[in-house]
Amino acid sequence: MKKLVGLVILSLIVTSSVALADSSLVVVFPNTNYQTSAEKIFFLGTAPSDGQVLFNGKPITRSKAGHFAPSFPLQLGDNLFTVRHQNQELQIKVTRLTTQPQLPQGLAFAKDSLTPAADIARLPGELICFSAIAPSNASVSVNLANQTIALAPQPIKAQLPNNLAALTGNNQPANQSIAGRYEGCTIAQKPDSPIETSSLIYGNNIFSSAVIPDSGKNIDLGKPEFRLTLNGQTVTQSGTGKIEILTPIKLPVVEVTADSGVARTGPSTDHSRLTPLPKGTRATVTGKEGEWLRLDYGAWINSKETQVLPGAISPRTIIRSVGYRQLPSATEIVFPLEVPVPVSVQQSDRSFSLTLYNTTAQTDIVRTDDSPLISRLDWQQVAPGQVKYTFNLKKSQQWGYQLRYEGTSLVLALRHPPVIKDKARKPLSGIKILLDPGHGGKESGASGPTGYLEKDVNLAVSKLLRDELVKRGATVVLTREDDKEVSLGERQVIISKEEPAIALSIHHNSLPDDGDAEKTKGFAAFWYNTQAHSLALFLHNYVVKNLGRPSYGVFWDNLALTRPTAAPSVLLELGFMSNPNEFEQVVNAGEQKKMAKVLADGITEWFRKVQ
């Protein structure tokens, strides 16, 4: 099955052999009994160029070499395809799964439809919402700690496409009928009285208010009891998630134990990433959902990346002086704090902003000597407990940064521009460049129509590019030089350790199931941190113009190999393995050399431009 492997898109299931006999009809994707929720799917394969390839009796278009990638609509359930070339025939079954919630039969809730599905904890006064899928025209409610919350039907809700839809251009929401979905919310309060209830109605949403006595302890409300009544009959079912109300006067405090704690906008890996939290960061927990913790500044983190500090009070600090120290390759700014607090970073043209949370400024003096990077430092108490430092920079191109705690002092290292030693003779002399050949080992990456694997072409082009860069005087580091598996985390560590001037991850593209593989092709560049945008855009435009390749686009994308902050890090997709015609270009040795040379020329020109 296709899978994301830290790059834009995915791996295709491949056949057992890359070397194919000349007389073979081969379909490398999808395999038989493949399952998908897409409304259509493309087939990827090859056959000898003589004669026709028929899908369910109809001929398809192929490349000169005989490769093909037609798309076909899918009906819900099983779809049978017969692929034929001369006397060879393949039978492939593709099952389309529904994305609509399944209504239960009879007097029952739909399986796994009750939410919250995990244990949750909230502060007094916060919304606690419930939902269930049940037969239409039913009466549904929840009993929680002796209060009853009515759940109202929610007939229409926009269905959002997943993030990959941005890569195929089909990213518009669609209205869907979700008859049978019921929702309602309650608000937990905290006066000195027994539990009472009241209700408010806004549109189709019903809000009840549960009044919780203030005992100085967390209140365990237990699991909600869902109640369903239809045609005079009633059934009840306990929810799977327990509900707890936290007491604000005794909230737990955690410390980040991971080297780089992953902060997110919500309690799952589906939610967007925020600035990582340096190891040692402390924060108060203001909510829980399953194994996820909500921190006092609003971000969520997995509890596995933290440890509870027994008896600790909510971290708060003041800040007075801000110091700095000049290193040969970086300027380090030191923020002395009483306790390590959460931080966030925002980069823009000619500025770098660092926000400290749970912090109050008592700053009267800031030293601002001349710096190769910084023209001026400004600070502002933007909100109670929130101080923002803005470094105004001398040039728009930023070269990487790192954040860490040394004890309770936050250290921000801003890297200096790299120095070209012999620009006249060797335009990249003194420049260290990291190349990351994508995938390797068991991680094969995408497959072409012949079964040729992305990991192999990535390594081939990376070595050719290394040779071209070395000719220009660069020092080049590869994350792998043979067919071995290197994890995404290991690749990130190598970038942080090597501190190259730039890092390029080399890949070749494919598509989600519903992509149009016959028509989709081209060169693409992906970036995440603002410091990498200029490089991504420049290389994309340079290759498209000077090599005559079609453009697939420039994308901001949250990928493992675009996230490193130690250097401008860009992921390049040099062409599509899944496009029958472009694949022939991708695997052509002469075209690979042309790509490597033009990329090296583009890198050289970009360094000249930004310096």
Side-chain angles (χ1 to χ4, degrees):
M1 187 173 185
K2 294 183 182 180
K3 57 182 179 178
L4 292 173
V5 193
L7 69 144
V8 186
I9 319 185
L10 36 92
S11 306
L12 294 176
I13 294 180
V14 299
T15 54
S16 59
S17 174
V18 173
L20 302 174
D22 291 339
S23 61
S24 295
L25 165 66
V26 175
V27 175
V28 300
F29 177 81
N31 62 319
T32 192
N33 298 320
Y34 186 77
Q35 295 184 337
T36 181
S37 60
E39 295 181 355
K40 65 177 182 177
I41 193 168
F42 71 88
F43 284 72
L44 188 63
T46 191
S49 56
D50 60 316
Q52 292 183 321
V53 171
L54 307 176
F55 272 73
N56 291 344
K58 297 181 178 180
I60 59 167
T61 301
R62 296 197 288 157
S63 70
K64 291 181 179 180
H67 310 324
F68 55 81
S71 292
F72 297 98
L74 296 175
Q75 296 179 341
L76 286 174
D78 293 342
N79 297 259
L80 300 177
F81 295 90
T82 299
V83 188
R84 186 171 183 83
H85 176 263
Q86 296 181 351
N87 63 344
Q88 287 186 281
E89 183 174 287
L90 299 174
Q91 299 282 340
I92 299 175
K93 183 176 74 173
V94 178
T95 302
R96 179 184 164 194
L97 306 175
T98 181
T99 58
Q100 297 289 334
Q102 297 298 300
L103 289 177
Q105 299 296 319
L107 188 69
F109 291 103
K111 183 181 178 181
D112 299 328
S113 70
L114 306 183
T115 66
D119 292 348
I120 67 170
R122 296 289 188 268
L123 292 172
E126 287 193 84
L127 279 179
I128 302 173
C129 293
F130 307 88
S131 68
I133 295 176
S136 300
N137 303 318
S139 175
V140 181
S141 63
V142 169
N143 185 273
L144 178 68
N146 298 324
Q147 69 156 320
T148 299
I149 304 107
L151 305 190
Q154 306 294 314
I156 298 178
K157 189 175 184 179
Q159 182 182 24
L160 295 178
N162 63 33
N163 276 298
L164 291 180
L167 302 172
T168 60
N170 302 317
N171 62 331
Q172 294 301 312
N175 288 334
Q176 64 169 345
S177 175
I178 50 174
R181 184 173 182 87
Y182 297 80
E183 296 181 357
C185 299
T186 185
I187 301 174
Q189 312 244 358
K190 188 180 64 73
D192 297 321
S193 61
I195 292 178
E196 301 172 358
T197 63
S198 59
S199 296
L200 295 173
I201 300 178
Y202 296 97
N204 288 327
N205 295 305
I206 300 177
F207 298 92
S208 297
S209 175
V211 181
I212 307 298
D214 184 5
S215 63
K217 297 181 180 180
N218 295 343
I219 306 297
D220 185 354
L221 300 181
K223 294 181 178 180
E225 189 80 9
F226 288 78
R227 182 183 180 93
L228 163 63
T229 300
L230 181 66
N231 298 327
Q233 294 182 301
T234 299
V235 66
T236 61
Q237 182 177 331
S238 292
T240 56
K242 185 177 67 174
I243 297 173
E244 185 179 30
I245 304 301
L246 301 173
T247 176
I249 63 175
K250 200 174 181 181
L251 295 173
V253 174
V254 295
E255 180 178 84
V256 175
T257 55
D259 288 336
S260 184
V262 180
R264 294 186 180 273
T265 57
S268 77
T269 55
D270 290 334
H271 287 84
S272 300
R273 289 175 179 250
L274 301 171
T275 301
L277 297 177
K279 185 176 183 178
T281 299
R282 295 184 179 185
T284 303
V285 176
T286 63
K288 300 178 184 179
E289 189 157 332
E291 63 182 9
W292 292 85
L293 308 176
R294 184 181 62 192
L295 305 182
D296 48 21
Y297 79 111
W300 292 77
I301 191 171
N302 194 295
S303 58
K304 294 177 181 177
E305 297 188 345
T306 69
Q307 65 179 3
V308 176
L309 301 178
I313 63 171
S314 296
R316 295 289 185 273
T317 184
I318 59 172
I319 184 168
R320 291 173 180 159
S321 63
V322 176
Y324 79 99
R325 50 198 183 213
Q326 292 282 4
L327 303 179
S329 61
T331 296
E332 290 192 341
I333 300 93
V334 182
F335 302 84
L337 305 171
E338 297 170 300
V339 63
V341 294
V343 296
S344 65
V345 165
Q346 183 179 12
Q347 289 178 298
S348 60
D349 289 346
R350 291 187 178 270
S351 71
F352 182 102
S353 296
L354 177 68
T355 300
L356 281 65
Y357 299 91
N358 303 327
T359 302
T360 300
Q362 291 185 356
T363 302
D364 287 330
I365 301 176
V366 176
R367 182 173 177 175
T368 57
D369 293 355
D370 193 21
S371 160
L373 288 178
I374 304 165
S375 62
R376 189 179 72 250
L377 168 61
D378 298 328
W379 72 268
Q380 181 182 13
Q381 186 86 41
V382 295
Q386 188 172 327
V387 183
K388 183 176 182 179
Y389 293 88
T390 300
F391 298 89
N392 299 281
L393 305 176
K394 292 184 175 179
K395 293 186 178 181
S396 60
Q397 180 57 48
Q398 300 176 42
W399 294 96
Y401 72 91
Q402 292 184 326
L403 274 173
R404 69 182 187 275
Y405 272 108
E406 291 182 354
T408 62
S409 292
L410 178 66
V411 180
L412 167 65
L414 296 176
R415 294 186 59 197
H416 297 164
V419 177
I420 298 176
K421 295 180 179 179
D422 188 1
K423 190 179 298 186
R425 296 178 55 195
K426 296 284 188 178
L428 295 180
S429 60
I431 300 296
K432 181 191 285 189
I433 295 174
L434 184 138
L435 299 179
D436 170 54
H439 306 289
K442 295 179 181 179
E443 293 291 344
S444 58
S447 168
T450 65
Y452 187 63
L453 301 177
E454 182 198 348
K455 66 175 183 177
D456 297 322
V457 68
N458 291 345
L459 184 59
V461 175
S462 295
K463 288 183 174 180
L464 292 170
L465 176 56
R466 174 194 60 190
D467 295 344
E468 290 288 344
L469 293 172
V470 169
K471 290 178 185 177
R472 293 159 174 77
T475 300
V476 181
V477 177
L478 267 66
T479 57
R480 67 178 180 97
E481 298 199 37
D482 52 25
D483 184 21
K484 69 177 182 180
E485 190 168 345
V486 184
S487 72
L488 297 176
E490 289 172 330
R491 296 169 197 254
Q492 292 174 321
V493 168
I494 294 171
I495 293 174
S496 296
K497 180 181 177 181
E498 292 289 343
E499 292 188 336
I502 60 173
L504 298 178
S505 191
I506 304 299
H507 288 263
H508 289 78
N509 226 335
S510 189
L511 286 169
D513 290 355
D514 61 351
D516 189 337
E518 287 184 321
K519 295 181 180 178
T520 305
K521 57 184 177 180
F523 185 92
F526 296 79
W527 63 280
Y528 181 74
N529 294 300
T530 303
Q531 62 196 22
H533 175 256
S534 168
L535 177 61
L537 182 63
F538 186 90
L539 289 181
H540 168 270
N541 292 346
Y542 194 90
V543 169
V544 168
K545 178 182 178 180
N546 291 279
L547 200 56
R549 294 292 176 90
S551 166
Y552 182 58
V554 179
F555 299 83
W556 177 92
D557 204 345
N558 173 18
L559 305 172
L561 273 304
T562 59
R563 286 197 298 268
T565 64
S569 301
V570 170
L571 187 145
L572 300 177
E573 297 279 3
L574 309 188
F576 274 83
M577 303 288 286
S578 54
N579 182 280
N581 292 296
E582 191 163 62
F583 172 75
E584 295 178 20
Q585 197 172 39
V586 163
V587 299
N588 181 282
E591 293 296 330
Q592 291 175 355
K593 290 180 181 179
K594 289 180 183 178
M595 174 63 76
K597 184 180 185 305
V598 170
L599 276 175
D601 289 341
I603 292 167
T604 303
E605 182 64 20
W606 180 78
F607 272 101
R608 187 199 65 77
K609 174 178 174 289
V610 297
Q611 291 198 336

